[in-house]
Each structure stands twice: as structure tokens, then as C-alpha cells.
Amino acid sequence: MKKILITGGAGFLGSHLCDALIKKGHDVLCVDNFFTGNKENVSHLITNPKFELMRHDVTFPLYVEVDQIYNLACPASPIHYQHDPVQTTKTSVHGAINMLGLAKRLNARILQASTSEVYGDPEVHPQTEDYWGKVNPIGIRSCYDEGKRCAETLFFDYFRQHQLEIKVMRIFNTYGPRMHPNDGRVVSNFIVQALKNESITIYGDGSQTRSFCYVDDLIGGMMKMMESDKVITGPINIGNPNEFSMLELAELVLKLTSSQSKLTFKPLPKDDPKQRQPDIGLAKAKLDWEPKVKLEDGLKETITFFRKLLTN
């Protein structure tokens, strides 16, 4: 059993990863500055002797003893990362430098939670890992997109320069229980609006597409990536390749919530990608991983979570 550090461990993905690793018998050190993370996400673990919670900002060095590091710290929704874009870039870049420095000192394996946003508004569809992307370096989303791109650069420079054991996974749209209700992501937006019988906001004409991976599938892929052979550095796409338009998603949410909400249309935000779909051929070949949860089944679980949250 290992002692494992998870930065951003009280966030949506991080808290599910804490659960999964503790279930496997590992000791988990959860580090979070609670900018978007929530103590409620890990409150059920507080009394578990295998769990430890630490308030810390990864833009500052951290001195702990661990065997593995999952670097998940960074606000991941446009509303949150655009709130303080300078801090967002610092979290990705300084955070990567600090965690890589820690991994180098400890000779620990380290995984970077990168993002499909490194592909920007892609000209290649679906996106393969060898595509370099089309990113606006000075746009309102650049703090996140370019921050994550720079973090990948740092990881591979540490790999080449210091022979550090790195893992880089590119996460595509993920949803499930513990999503932040006000993070501006399409799944949580649609569900909350539908449950409140408010108008469902669709940006553009609703034809833009996304691929939605249920959180349990994503965490399974993340753990497989960490435990894969040390020569498998990535980057590897982890996501669900089934593509849905925003209109299709809205109609499914309306059906599953039995909502009376109507659709309203607003202009598409600047630099918002028109398509997002992972090519997961590498994940299948290298990790023997592919998602199993269907969108309708995952949405039912997510709707149940939000229904409880809104009635409390």
C-alpha cells in the first residue's frame, strides 16, 4: 500500500479519486486551498485513519513524504478560472513546478491531470494525442488553456532532464455527483435549471458538440494511467468518445427531470470550441481502458445528487 498525495483533492474529481484510492487500501493525503474544492466532498472521509486533509496552495512549495502524486489542483470551469486568471496560470505553472520538484526529491511517480482544452478550438476531429491544437494565446480562456499546455511542457522537460516518472492524461468533459452547482459547465447548468423549472440556456444554436464521461469511468482511467508501465508517459486522452449536441443533451435532461423548462438561446462565448471528441485509441491499446457508463445512466445519478443538494 502506498502513501499518495492528491492536489485539488477536495474538488469534484479529486474527492472521487480519494474514495477510490482509500477503497484500495492506500493512505491518502488530500491537499486543497478550497478555492473551488469543498470540504463537504470529503467530509465522509475525515474520520478514516487512511485519510488526511491539508489546506495548502500548490503555488507554494510543499514538503511531505509520499510515494505517488496526482496533480489535480486547478479551477476547471470558465466561471472559476476567469475569476482570477493570473492565479489560474500560477496554479498550473507554479503548481507543476512545485509538485515536480517534490516528485524529484522523493523519486516519486507523478501524474498530471491535463485537459482537452490543450487542443483549443480543434481543426482535427476527433482529437488525437499527436495533434498540437489551435489555442488563442491571448484570449479570455488562455489562462487555463496555456497554463495546462505549459504544465505539460514542464512535465516532459522533467522527464527528459531528470528521468522523472511522469504520467500526463488529457481529461475530456466529465460529469457526475459532486459537480459544483454554479460552475457554469453545461451538465450542471442544464440539470440545475431543469430542476428549478428555469429556462435552459443554450449558447449558439445548440449544434456544438461535447463528449461526456461519467466520473467513475474517468477515475478508473486515471488510476490505470498511474499504475501503467513507467515507459508510458502519455499524453493519453481519457474521455467518452460518444458525441452529443447541446440540444440533444438539453432534451435528455428535460426528459429525465420531467421539467417544464423551456430552451433559451444566447450568443456563443468567445473562443468556445465548436467540437470536442476524444480519440481514445491509445487508452484502449496502452491501458486497456474505455468508458462503460451510458450518458442516460450517468445523468440519472447526477440528477439524484443535485435534487438532494437543492432540497437541503
mmCIF file with all atom_site columns, all heavy atoms in Angstrom, residues 128-145:
data_model
loop_
_atom_site.group_PDB
_atom_site.id
_atom_site.type_symbol
_atom_site.label_atom_id
_atom_site.label_alt_id
_atom_site.label_comp_id
_atom_site.label_asym_id
_atom_site.label_entity_id
_atom_site.label_seq_id
_atom_site.pdbx_PDB_ins_code
_atom_site.Cartn_x
_atom_site.Cartn_y
_atom_site.Cartn_z
_atom_site.occupancy
_atom_site.B_iso_or_equiv
_atom_site.pdbx_formal_charge
_atom_site.auth_seq_id
_atom_site.auth_comp_id
_atom_site.auth_asym_id
_atom_site.auth_atom_id
_atom_site.pdbx_PDB_model_num
ATOM 1   N N   . THR A 1 128 ? -6.684  13.535 -31.611 1.00 0.00 ? 128 THR A N   1
ATOM 2   C CA  . THR A 1 128 ? -5.680  12.532 -31.254 1.00 0.00 ? 128 THR A CA  1
ATOM 3   C C   . THR A 1 128 ? -4.541  13.218 -30.507 1.00 0.00 ? 128 THR A C   1
ATOM 4   O O   . THR A 1 128 ? -4.329  14.435 -30.646 1.00 0.00 ? 128 THR A O   1
ATOM 5   C CB  . THR A 1 128 ? -5.125  11.839 -32.510 1.00 0.00 ? 128 THR A CB  1
ATOM 6   O OG1 . THR A 1 128 ? -4.642  12.853 -33.413 1.00 0.00 ? 128 THR A OG1 1
ATOM 7   C CG2 . THR A 1 128 ? -6.189  11.014 -33.206 1.00 0.00 ? 128 THR A CG2 1
ATOM 8   N N   . GLU A 1 129 ? -3.793  12.430 -29.750 1.00 0.00 ? 129 GLU A N   1
ATOM 9   C CA  . GLU A 1 129 ? -2.756  13.000 -28.874 1.00 0.00 ? 129 GLU A CA  1
ATOM 10  C C   . GLU A 1 129 ? -1.621  13.674 -29.648 1.00 0.00 ? 129 GLU A C   1
ATOM 11  O O   . GLU A 1 129 ? -0.914  14.512 -29.088 1.00 0.00 ? 129 GLU A O   1
ATOM 12  C CB  . GLU A 1 129 ? -2.181  11.903 -27.965 1.00 0.00 ? 129 GLU A CB  1
ATOM 13  C CG  . GLU A 1 129 ? -3.136  11.402 -26.911 1.00 0.00 ? 129 GLU A CG  1
ATOM 14  C CD  . GLU A 1 129 ? -4.068  10.296 -27.375 1.00 0.00 ? 129 GLU A CD  1
ATOM 15  O OE1 . GLU A 1 129 ? -4.112  10.007 -28.601 1.00 0.00 ? 129 GLU A OE1 1
ATOM 16  O OE2 . GLU A 1 129 ? -4.752  9.705  -26.520 1.00 0.00 ? 129 GLU A OE2 1
ATOM 17  N N   . ASP A 1 130 ? -1.447  13.312 -30.919 1.00 0.00 ? 130 ASP A N   1
ATOM 18  C CA  . ASP A 1 130 ? -0.360  13.931 -31.689 1.00 0.00 ? 130 ASP A CA  1
ATOM 19  C C   . ASP A 1 130 ? -0.785  15.253 -32.340 1.00 0.00 ? 130 ASP A C   1
ATOM 20  O O   . ASP A 1 130 ? 0.025   15.900 -33.016 1.00 0.00 ? 130 ASP A O   1
ATOM 21  C CB  . ASP A 1 130 ? 0.199   12.966 -32.742 1.00 0.00 ? 130 ASP A CB  1
ATOM 22  C CG  . ASP A 1 130 ? -0.871  12.463 -33.710 1.00 0.00 ? 130 ASP A CG  1
ATOM 23  O OD1 . ASP A 1 130 ? -2.041  12.879 -33.580 1.00 0.00 ? 130 ASP A OD1 1
ATOM 24  O OD2 . ASP A 1 130 ? -0.523  11.650 -34.593 1.00 0.00 ? 130 ASP A OD2 1
ATOM 25  N N   . TYR A 1 131 ? -2.040  15.662 -32.123 1.00 0.00 ? 131 TYR A N   1
ATOM 26  C CA  . TYR A 1 131 ? -2.496  16.964 -32.640 1.00 0.00 ? 131 TYR A CA  1
ATOM 27  C C   . TYR A 1 131 ? -2.051  18.065 -31.675 1.00 0.00 ? 131 TYR A C   1
ATOM 28  O O   . TYR A 1 131 ? -2.276  17.975 -30.472 1.00 0.00 ? 131 TYR A O   1
ATOM 29  C CB  . TYR A 1 131 ? -4.024  16.947 -32.774 1.00 0.00 ? 131 TYR A CB  1
ATOM 30  C CG  . TYR A 1 131 ? -4.618  18.285 -33.170 1.00 0.00 ? 131 TYR A CG  1
ATOM 31  C CD1 . TYR A 1 131 ? -4.166  18.961 -34.305 1.00 0.00 ? 131 TYR A CD1 1
ATOM 32  C CD2 . TYR A 1 131 ? -5.630  18.871 -32.417 1.00 0.00 ? 131 TYR A CD2 1
ATOM 33  C CE1 . TYR A 1 131 ? -4.703  20.184 -34.672 1.00 0.00 ? 131 TYR A CE1 1
ATOM 34  C CE2 . TYR A 1 131 ? -6.181  20.091 -32.775 1.00 0.00 ? 131 TYR A CE2 1
ATOM 35  C CZ  . TYR A 1 131 ? -5.704  20.746 -33.902 1.00 0.00 ? 131 TYR A CZ  1
ATOM 36  O OH  . TYR A 1 131 ? -6.232  21.959 -34.265 1.00 0.00 ? 131 TYR A OH  1
ATOM 37  N N   . TRP A 1 132 ? -1.416  19.120 -32.212 1.00 0.00 ? 132 TRP A N   1
ATOM 38  C CA  . TRP A 1 132 ? -0.838  20.160 -31.372 1.00 0.00 ? 132 TRP A CA  1
ATOM 39  C C   . TRP A 1 132 ? -1.836  21.227 -30.922 1.00 0.00 ? 132 TRP A C   1
ATOM 40  O O   . TRP A 1 132 ? -1.542  22.025 -30.046 1.00 0.00 ? 132 TRP A O   1
ATOM 41  C CB  . TRP A 1 132 ? 0.339   20.832 -32.100 1.00 0.00 ? 132 TRP A CB  1
ATOM 42  C CG  . TRP A 1 132 ? 1.529   19.938 -32.260 1.00 0.00 ? 132 TRP A CG  1
ATOM 43  C CD1 . TRP A 1 132 ? 1.697   18.671 -31.743 1.00 0.00 ? 132 TRP A CD1 1
ATOM 44  C CD2 . TRP A 1 132 ? 2.728   20.224 -32.981 1.00 0.00 ? 132 TRP A CD2 1
ATOM 45  N NE1 . TRP A 1 132 ? 2.905   18.155 -32.095 1.00 0.00 ? 132 TRP A NE1 1
ATOM 46  C CE2 . TRP A 1 132 ? 3.564   19.088 -32.854 1.00 0.00 ? 132 TRP A CE2 1
ATOM 47  C CE3 . TRP A 1 132 ? 3.174   21.315 -33.712 1.00 0.00 ? 132 TRP A CE3 1
ATOM 48  C CZ2 . TRP A 1 132 ? 4.829   19.037 -33.434 1.00 0.00 ? 132 TRP A CZ2 1
ATOM 49  C CZ3 . TRP A 1 132 ? 4.429   21.257 -34.293 1.00 0.00 ? 132 TRP A CZ3 1
ATOM 50  C CH2 . TRP A 1 132 ? 5.250   20.125 -34.158 1.00 0.00 ? 132 TRP A CH2 1
ATOM 51  N N   . GLY A 1 133 ? -2.981  21.258 -31.555 1.00 0.00 ? 133 GLY A N   1
ATOM 52  C CA  . GLY A 1 133 ? -4.020  22.160 -31.082 1.00 0.00 ? 133 GLY A CA  1
ATOM 53  C C   . GLY A 1 133 ? -4.053  23.507 -31.786 1.00 0.00 ? 133 GLY A C   1
ATOM 54  O O   . GLY A 1 133 ? -3.138  23.884 -32.527 1.00 0.00 ? 133 GLY A O   1
ATOM 55  N N   . LYS A 1 134 ? -5.149  24.224 -31.542 1.00 0.00 ? 134 LYS A N   1
ATOM 56  C CA  . LYS A 1 134 ? -5.350  25.566 -32.084 1.00 0.00 ? 134 LYS A CA  1
ATOM 57  C C   . LYS A 1 134 ? -5.886  26.433 -30.947 1.00 0.00 ? 134 LYS A C   1
ATOM 58  O O   . LYS A 1 134 ? -7.081  26.503 -30.700 1.00 0.00 ? 134 LYS A O   1
ATOM 59  C CB  . LYS A 1 134 ? -6.352  25.519 -33.240 1.00 0.00 ? 134 LYS A CB  1
ATOM 60  C CG  . LYS A 1 134 ? -6.653  26.874 -33.871 1.00 0.00 ? 134 LYS A CG  1
ATOM 61  C CD  . LYS A 1 134 ? -7.865  26.771 -34.772 1.00 0.00 ? 134 LYS A CD  1
ATOM 62  C CE  . LYS A 1 134 ? -8.311  28.157 -35.219 1.00 0.00 ? 134 LYS A CE  1
ATOM 63  N NZ  . LYS A 1 134 ? -9.668  28.101 -35.822 1.00 0.00 ? 134 LYS A NZ  1
ATOM 64  N N   . VAL A 1 135 ? -4.957  27.041 -30.214 1.00 0.00 ? 135 VAL A N   1
ATOM 65  C CA  . VAL A 1 135 ? -5.295  27.788 -28.997 1.00 0.00 ? 135 VAL A CA  1
ATOM 66  C C   . VAL A 1 135 ? -4.975  29.264 -29.184 1.00 0.00 ? 135 VAL A C   1
ATOM 67  O O   . VAL A 1 135 ? -3.903  29.617 -29.675 1.00 0.00 ? 135 VAL A O   1
ATOM 68  C CB  . VAL A 1 135 ? -4.513  27.231 -27.782 1.00 0.00 ? 135 VAL A CB  1
ATOM 69  C CG1 . VAL A 1 135 ? -4.773  28.078 -26.541 1.00 0.00 ? 135 VAL A CG1 1
ATOM 70  C CG2 . VAL A 1 135 ? -4.890  25.783 -27.517 1.00 0.00 ? 135 VAL A CG2 1
ATOM 71  N N   . ASN A 1 136 ? -5.911  30.112 -28.783 1.00 0.00 ? 136 ASN A N   1
ATOM 72  C CA  . ASN A 1 136 ? -5.660  31.559 -28.752 1.00 0.00 ? 136 ASN A CA  1
ATOM 73  C C   . ASN A 1 136 ? -4.803  31.860 -27.512 1.00 0.00 ? 136 ASN A C   1
ATOM 74  O O   . ASN A 1 136 ? -5.272  31.690 -26.390 1.00 0.00 ? 136 ASN A O   1
ATOM 75  C CB  . ASN A 1 136 ? -6.995  32.299 -28.676 1.00 0.00 ? 136 ASN A CB  1
ATOM 76  C CG  . ASN A 1 136 ? -6.812  33.807 -28.585 1.00 0.00 ? 136 ASN A CG  1
ATOM 77  O OD1 . ASN A 1 136 ? -5.690  34.304 -28.552 1.00 0.00 ? 136 ASN A OD1 1
ATOM 78  N ND2 . ASN A 1 136 ? -7.922  34.529 -28.543 1.00 0.00 ? 136 ASN A ND2 1
ATOM 79  N N   . PRO A 1 137 ? -3.548  32.336 -27.703 1.00 0.00 ? 137 PRO A N   1
ATOM 80  C CA  . PRO A 1 137 ? -2.678  32.534 -26.544 1.00 0.00 ? 137 PRO A CA  1
ATOM 81  C C   . PRO A 1 137 ? -2.986  33.789 -25.734 1.00 0.00 ? 137 PRO A C   1
ATOM 82  O O   . PRO A 1 137 ? -2.441  33.961 -24.642 1.00 0.00 ? 137 PRO A O   1
ATOM 83  C CB  . PRO A 1 137 ? -1.279  32.628 -27.168 1.00 0.00 ? 137 PRO A CB  1
ATOM 84  C CG  . PRO A 1 137 ? -1.528  33.177 -28.529 1.00 0.00 ? 137 PRO A CG  1
ATOM 85  C CD  . PRO A 1 137 ? -2.848  32.620 -28.971 1.00 0.00 ? 137 PRO A CD  1
ATOM 86  N N   . ILE A 1 138 ? -3.866  34.666 -26.243 1.00 0.00 ? 138 ILE A N   1
ATOM 87  C CA  . ILE A 1 138 ? -4.154  35.913 -25.518 1.00 0.00 ? 138 ILE A CA  1
ATOM 88  C C   . ILE A 1 138 ? -5.651  36.102 -25.275 1.00 0.00 ? 138 ILE A C   1
ATOM 89  O O   . ILE A 1 138 ? -6.096  37.211 -24.984 1.00 0.00 ? 138 ILE A O   1
ATOM 90  C CB  . ILE A 1 138 ? -3.578  37.141 -26.259 1.00 0.00 ? 138 ILE A CB  1
ATOM 91  C CG1 . ILE A 1 138 ? -4.138  37.239 -27.686 1.00 0.00 ? 138 ILE A CG1 1
ATOM 92  C CG2 . ILE A 1 138 ? -2.059  37.098 -26.264 1.00 0.00 ? 138 ILE A CG2 1
ATOM 93  C CD1 . ILE A 1 138 ? -3.798  38.551 -28.392 1.00 0.00 ? 138 ILE A CD1 1
ATOM 94  N N   . GLY A 1 139 ? -6.429  35.048 -25.377 1.00 0.00 ? 139 GLY A N   1
ATOM 95  C CA  . GLY A 1 139 ? -7.871  35.139 -25.177 1.00 0.00 ? 139 GLY A CA  1
ATOM 96  C C   . GLY A 1 139 ? -8.264  34.993 -23.711 1.00 0.00 ? 139 GLY A C   1
ATOM 97  O O   . GLY A 1 139 ? -7.422  34.769 -22.837 1.00 0.00 ? 139 GLY A O   1
ATOM 98  N N   . ILE A 1 140 ? -9.570  35.078 -23.455 1.00 0.00 ? 140 ILE A N   1
ATOM 99  C CA  . ILE A 1 140 ? -10.049 35.037 -22.068 1.00 0.00 ? 140 ILE A CA  1
ATOM 100 C C   . ILE A 1 140 ? -9.961  33.623 -21.472 1.00 0.00 ? 140 ILE A C   1
ATOM 101 O O   . ILE A 1 140 ? -10.026 33.464 -20.253 1.00 0.00 ? 140 ILE A O   1
ATOM 102 C CB  . ILE A 1 140 ? -11.490 35.580 -21.949 1.00 0.00 ? 140 ILE A CB  1
ATOM 103 C CG1 . ILE A 1 140 ? -12.459 34.760 -22.825 1.00 0.00 ? 140 ILE A CG1 1
ATOM 104 C CG2 . ILE A 1 140 ? -11.550 37.048 -22.306 1.00 0.00 ? 140 ILE A CG2 1
ATOM 105 C CD1 . ILE A 1 140 ? -13.917 35.112 -22.600 1.00 0.00 ? 140 ILE A CD1 1
ATOM 106 N N   . ARG A 1 141 ? -9.798  32.611 -22.322 1.00 0.00 ? 141 ARG A N   1
ATOM 107 C CA  . ARG A 1 141 ? -9.634  31.235 -21.816 1.00 0.00 ? 141 ARG A CA  1
ATOM 108 C C   . ARG A 1 141 ? -8.159  30.832 -21.724 1.00 0.00 ? 141 ARG A C   1
ATOM 109 O O   . ARG A 1 141 ? -7.844  29.727 -21.267 1.00 0.00 ? 141 ARG A O   1
ATOM 110 C CB  . ARG A 1 141 ? -10.363 30.247 -22.743 1.00 0.00 ? 141 ARG A CB  1
ATOM 111 C CG  . ARG A 1 141 ? -11.848 30.481 -22.879 1.00 0.00 ? 141 ARG A CG  1
ATOM 112 C CD  . ARG A 1 141 ? -12.442 29.636 -23.999 1.00 0.00 ? 141 ARG A CD  1
ATOM 113 N NE  . ARG A 1 141 ? -12.408 28.228 -23.703 1.00 0.00 ? 141 ARG A NE  1
ATOM 114 C CZ  . ARG A 1 141 ? -13.453 27.511 -23.282 1.00 0.00 ? 141 ARG A CZ  1
ATOM 115 N NH1 . ARG A 1 141 ? -14.614 28.107 -23.115 1.00 0.00 ? 141 ARG A NH1 1
ATOM 116 N NH2 . ARG A 1 141 ? -13.353 26.228 -23.022 1.00 0.00 ? 141 ARG A NH2 1
ATOM 117 N N   . SER A 1 142 ? -7.267  31.719 -22.145 1.00 0.00 ? 142 SER A N   1
ATOM 118 C CA  . SER A 1 142 ? -5.852  31.351 -22.272 1.00 0.00 ? 142 SER A CA  1
ATOM 119 C C   . SER A 1 142 ? -5.203  31.007 -20.936 1.00 0.00 ? 142 SER A C   1
ATOM 120 O O   . SER A 1 142 ? -4.284  30.193 -20.884 1.00 0.00 ? 142 SER A O   1
ATOM 121 C CB  . SER A 1 142 ? -5.063  32.484 -22.930 1.00 0.00 ? 142 SER A CB  1
ATOM 122 O OG  . SER A 1 142 ? -5.673  32.886 -24.132 1.00 0.00 ? 142 SER A OG  1
ATOM 123 N N   . CYS A 1 143 ? -5.672  31.632 -19.856 1.00 0.00 ? 143 CYS A N   1
ATOM 124 C CA  . CYS A 1 143 ? -5.078  31.368 -18.543 1.00 0.00 ? 143 CYS A CA  1
ATOM 125 C C   . CYS A 1 143 ? -5.139  29.881 -18.222 1.00 0.00 ? 143 CYS A C   1
ATOM 126 O O   . CYS A 1 143 ? -4.198  29.314 -17.650 1.00 0.00 ? 143 CYS A O   1
ATOM 127 C CB  . CYS A 1 143 ? -5.776  32.181 -17.461 1.00 0.00 ? 143 CYS A CB  1
ATOM 128 S SG  . CYS A 1 143 ? -7.556  31.891 -17.340 1.00 0.00 ? 143 CYS A SG  1
ATOM 129 N N   . TYR A 1 144 ? -6.232  29.247 -18.614 1.00 0.00 ? 144 TYR A N   1
ATOM 130 C CA  . TYR A 1 144 ? -6.409  27.817 -18.365 1.00 0.00 ? 144 TYR A CA  1
ATOM 131 C C   . TYR A 1 144 ? -5.734  26.990 -19.455 1.00 0.00 ? 144 TYR A C   1
ATOM 132 O O   . TYR A 1 144 ? -4.920  26.110 -19.172 1.00 0.00 ? 144 TYR A O   1
ATOM 133 C CB  . TYR A 1 144 ? -7.899  27.488 -18.287 1.00 0.00 ? 144 TYR A CB  1
ATOM 134 C CG  . TYR A 1 144 ? -8.199  26.058 -17.941 1.00 0.00 ? 144 TYR A CG  1
ATOM 135 C CD1 . TYR A 1 144 ? -7.947  25.562 -16.665 1.00 0.00 ? 144 TYR A CD1 1
ATOM 136 C CD2 . TYR A 1 144 ? -8.739  25.190 -18.881 1.00 0.00 ? 144 TYR A CD2 1
ATOM 137 C CE1 . TYR A 1 144 ? -8.229  24.241 -16.329 1.00 0.00 ? 144 TYR A CE1 1
ATOM 138 C CE2 . TYR A 1 144 ? -9.028  23.862 -18.555 1.00 0.00 ? 144 TYR A CE2 1
ATOM 139 C CZ  . TYR A 1 144 ? -8.771  23.398 -17.281 1.00 0.00 ? 144 TYR A CZ  1
ATOM 140 O OH  . TYR A 1 144 ? -9.042  22.084 -16.965 1.00 0.00 ? 144 TYR A OH  1
ATOM 141 N N   . ASP A 1 145 ? -6.069  27.303 -20.725 1.00 0.00 ? 145 ASP A N   1
ATOM 142 C CA  . ASP A 1 145 ? -5.549  26.507 -21.848 1.00 0.00 ? 145 ASP A CA  1
ATOM 143 C C   . ASP A 1 145 ? -4.024  26.520 -21.886 1.00 0.00 ? 145 ASP A C   1
ATOM 144 O O   . ASP A 1 145 ? -3.374  25.474 -21.956 1.00 0.00 ? 145 ASP A O   1
ATOM 145 C CB  . ASP A 1 145 ? -6.094  27.045 -23.177 1.00 0.00 ? 145 ASP A CB  1
ATOM 146 C CG  . ASP A 1 145 ? -7.613  27.027 -23.249 1.00 0.00 ? 145 ASP A CG  1
ATOM 147 O OD1 . ASP A 1 145 ? -8.254  26.660 -22.253 1.00 0.00 ? 145 ASP A OD1 1
ATOM 148 O OD2 . ASP A 1 145 ? -8.153  27.386 -24.307 1.00 0.00 ? 145 ASP A OD2 1
#
